[in-house]
Amino acid sequence: MKKFDQLVTQQLETMDQLLFLQSEIERCQEIEGELIKLHEEARLHSVQDEISEMKLKLKEIQLTFEAQTEDIIRTYKSEGACSTLA
C-alpha cells in the first residue's frame, strides 16, 4: 500500500492548502467589510481582486483534492483487492 500512503500524504498537503486559503479568504473578507465601512474604494477594489484570485485558486485546489480522493479510492480498491487475493 505504498502508493496509497503516498496519495494520502499528498491529499493531506492539499487539505492544508485548502484550510490555509479558506482562512486567508475569511481574513480578507473581514478587511473587505471594514473597508466598505470606511469607504476606501481604491483599496477595497484591491482586496476584492485578491479575494477573487484566492477563490479561483481555492477552486483549483478543490478540484485537485477531489481527483486525489478518486485516486486514493481506486488505489485502495486495487491494492486491497490484491492483498486479499494473496
Side-chain angles (χ1 to χ4, degrees):
M1 288 206 162
K2 185 177 181 181
K3 183 173 181 174
F4 175 78
D5 291 339
Q6 180 184 18
L7 291 171
V8 170
T9 299
Q10 287 175 340
Q11 191 176 39
L12 289 173
E13 290 171 1
T14 302
M15 178 61 80
D16 286 342
Q17 290 176 340
L18 279 170
L19 293 173
F20 173 76
L21 203 47
Q22 285 174 332
S23 69
E24 283 297 296
I25 289 172
E26 289 173 9
R27 182 186 64 80
C28 287
Q29 286 174 328
E30 287 176 14
I31 293 170
E32 177 186 33
E34 292 173 19
L35 292 174
I36 289 171
K37 289 178 187 175
L38 297 173
H39 302 292
E40 292 183 344
E41 289 277 330
R43 200 157 165 228
L44 171 61
H45 291 298
S46 173
V47 171
Q48 287 173 328
D49 290 344
E50 189 175 346
I51 290 170
S52 294
E53 287 177 30
M54 285 192 288
K55 284 183 177 181
L56 288 174
K57 280 185 183 177
L58 180 62
K59 185 64 178 172
E60 290 173 12
I61 293 171
Q62 287 172 329
L63 292 173
T64 299
F65 186 83
E66 289 172 11
Q68 289 172 334
T69 299
E70 292 171 8
D71 286 344
I72 287 171
I73 292 169
R74 272 195 303 278
T75 302
Y76 180 79
K77 286 181 179 178
S78 173
E79 291 181 6
C82 291
S83 66
T84 56
L85 295 175

